[in-house]
Amino acid sequence: MPPKRKCSKRSKSSQTTIVYGDSSPSTSLDDIPAIDQAAIAFPQPVVTADHQRQQTASGDISTDAVYLQKQARHARNILMKQLFSLCRNPDLVALEEPFIKVYDLLERTITNGESNSAILIGPRSSGKTSIINKALDRLYKTYNLADDNTMNNGITKKYFVVRLNGHIHTNDNIALRDIARQLSIEQSMEEFNVGSFAQAMMYLLEVLKKGNRGTSPVLFLLDEFDLLAQHPKQTLLYTLFDIAQSHQSPVAVIGITPRLDVLDLLEKRVKSRYSHRQIYVHFIGNMEGYVEVAKQLLLLSDDNSEVLRLDPAYRSQFNYHVEELFNDQDFVNILSSLFNLGKDIRFMTRVFVSTEGNDHTLPIGKLGIEQPYLTAELFATSYKKQREDGKMSIAKDVSLLEISLVIAMKDLIHNGYTKFNFEMVYETYKRFMSQNITSVSVGGSLKMYKKPVALKAFESLVEMELVKPTDGFTAGGDVSTGDNSTVVASFGLIAGNTQASRCPKEFRMVQMMFEPCQVVELVQGRDDLPMVIKRWAMASA
């Protein structure tokens, strides 16, 4: 027999496949040069040699298009939810004092069976809803074990929450049905012969009794309280406050409203049963708190369950770029301007999602392949668009004569006049043109228009609301002659003011709706104006 040939073993190169969780001692992390060791600790999809979505040696994220597009789009959706949620200040920056008052009131109702009432008053977007949601969240974690406001098999919750809104519950019958729905006892209500509204309300509270331990506390949260106060006879508010005052059942009634004069809307009998406890909420009073809220809105916090779906490396890089934003002086100046403008968080939100075109938003909507992280330049562009005045947009297209009249008004303001008429404006315009009638500029020789033509241009400025009449008449109208009887109510016309009606339109006083600095900005943005006109506008700046 021929001798057997020995088959030599040949090593075959194959693609390396790494499956996380493999505990084979022959596998070493040192043999895997392209995979970051930190990534091994997280349960992620299988990584092969052909799969290049990994960190580079420098630690930066790979610019793979599909990967960045998916991560940036998910980050954009999270930020949009944070910006447009009802709770834009989850950490209650500068709201600790009103939060403690609200939480203490609700907690005493739950633990001691007290009946309390209060009204939470503050401007819109000041944090009233954030305070209520934070208090309810803490109470839920402390006292309630169930997941919702239901009663099953005789097992009741420690307390119940009923939310009403003045925009939704426009009358007491709708409010009563929704109270029954939120307490999950609609069937009992159908079997019960409901008499008056107060009897139905008392029945709703009595059915919550559990054994000998009394009635389960009910927390009534009345959003848009001022609208609920406009219901006929205010039966709903009277019944709730009466129950709270008489201690028939442990209830807490908290109204939420932006109106400071809300007590004046209450009837005498309702006001007598209200505890007159008012909790005021104010806007953030310091720049540090305002900046802290801005960070909350832009950072991808681990407290959000949706953030955990992002790649940890991308999330870390995204938050790093956000922190760098607050070290950028231009971005800090934008926040400072918004804070000085009104301290309203909604101003900040508008800058973060300023509209550009029909289907894009700046700067959040720009997150994508080309812009995976937020930059100060995007916020600067958005802030500039938000600052743009509507009147400035209209004034960009006015004629040379009309803008000359505006500059003449600016000249009068510089000389101390706050109100002026057409004759004063035209005299200023005529004086300037007489001195420069022979001047030649880039746009050609200057021309001085006659008074009737200038009057038509002056009336055009009033119609565009760039100039406001102070006597109640439009520039093109004359009530005495009947050629235009339109009267603008906001101009302050008093009926029967015969002296104003007899005044010729050339002498009716007006006010310019521009600031002098805006006139300079408008002129500088026009390339079609003669240089002499531009110098005139900037002469008294």
Side-chain angles (χ1 to χ4, degrees), residues 88-90 92-93 284 288-298 326 345 348 352:
R88 297 191 183 99
N89 188 1
L92 301 183
V93 177
I284 298 173
E288 292 75 13
Y290 196 78
V291 171
E292 186 63 29
V293 173
K295 281 188 178 181
Q296 292 180 18
L297 294 176
L298 294 180
F326 292 89
I345 298 178
M348 183 194 305
F352 290 173

Side-chain angles (χ1 to χ4, degrees), residues 315-384:
R315 183 171 72 246
S316 176
Q317 287 290 324
F318 187 91
N319 288 338
Y320 170 78
H321 282 79
V322 171
E323 293 288 349
E324 287 298 311
L325 274 178
F326 292 89
N327 296 327
D328 189 288
Q329 190 59 43
D330 293 336
F331 181 75
V332 174
N333 290 339
I334 291 174
L335 293 181
S336 179
S337 299
L338 294 174
F339 177 77
N340 295 329
L341 180 64
K343 303 178 179 61
D344 194 336
I345 298 178
R346 290 177 295 180
F347 293 162
M348 183 194 305
T349 303
R350 291 169 189 164
V351 171
F352 290 173
V353 291
S354 175
T355 303
E356 183 191 75
N358 297 325
D359 55 352
H360 292 88
T361 54
L362 281 172
I364 304 300
K366 286 293 185 179
L367 290 176
I369 299 176
E370 299 179 355
Q371 191 70 47
Y373 308 112
L374 298 175
T375 61
E377 290 77 11
L378 291 176
F379 288 96
T381 303
S382 177
Y383 178 67
K384 184 178 180 181

Side-chain angles (χ1 to χ4, degrees), residues 41-217:
F42 295 90
Q44 297 183 7
V46 175
V47 179
T48 64
D50 296 331
H51 189 62
Q52 297 297 325
R53 201 172 62 183
Q54 55 208 22
Q55 285 185 297
T56 61
S58 60
D60 295 333
I61 305 300
S62 172
T63 57
D64 181 80
V66 177
Y67 168 72
L68 280 180
Q69 179 70 15
K70 180 179 179 181
Q71 297 295 319
R73 184 180 299 173
H74 188 45
R76 179 183 60 195
N77 294 338
I78 294 174
L79 292 179
M80 294 294 286
K81 290 181 180 179
Q82 291 180 177
L83 291 170
F84 291 101
S85 67
L86 293 178
C87 186
R88 297 191 183 99
N89 188 1
D91 293 342
L92 301 183
V93 177
L95 298 176
E96 295 80 4
E97 182 178 352
F99 169 75
I100 293 174
K101 293 180 180 179
V102 171
Y103 180 80
D104 183 63
L105 185 147
L106 297 177
E107 188 179 35
R108 292 203 311 269
T109 300
I110 296 173
T111 56
N112 302 333
E114 298 181 7
S115 293
N116 299 297
S117 60
I119 298 180
L120 194 61
I121 302 175
R124 297 193 184 278
S125 190
S126 60
K128 301 185 297 296
T129 303
S130 299
I131 291 173
I132 294 296
N133 291 342
K134 189 80 171 182
L136 292 179
D137 183 62
R138 182 175 296 184
L139 290 171
Y140 173 80
K141 294 178 180 177
T142 305
Y143 297 103
N144 266 346
L145 299 178
D147 292 331
D148 49 33
N149 294 343
T150 57
M151 301 170 59
N152 297 315
N153 301 324
I155 301 176
T156 63
K157 295 182 65 176
K158 183 71 176 179
Y159 68 92
F160 294 85
V161 178
V162 175
R163 289 179 176 267
L164 300 178
N165 190 296
H167 287 299
I168 300 173
H169 307 93
T170 55
N171 58 61
D172 292 341
N173 290 330
I174 296 176
L176 182 61
R177 294 192 193 99
D178 202 40
I179 291 173
R181 180 191 63 80
Q182 295 186 50
L183 295 176
S184 302
I185 51 177
E186 298 96 331
Q187 186 175 359
S188 300
M189 282 291 295
E190 293 176 359
E191 298 173 356
F192 177 68
N193 185 14
V194 179
S196 65
F197 182 87
Q199 291 176 345
M201 179 66 68
M202 287 303 303
Y203 172 76
L204 287 173
L205 297 176
E206 288 296 329
V207 296
L208 297 177
K209 285 186 176 180
K210 49 177 184 179
N212 298 323
R213 292 185 293 172
T215 304
S216 298

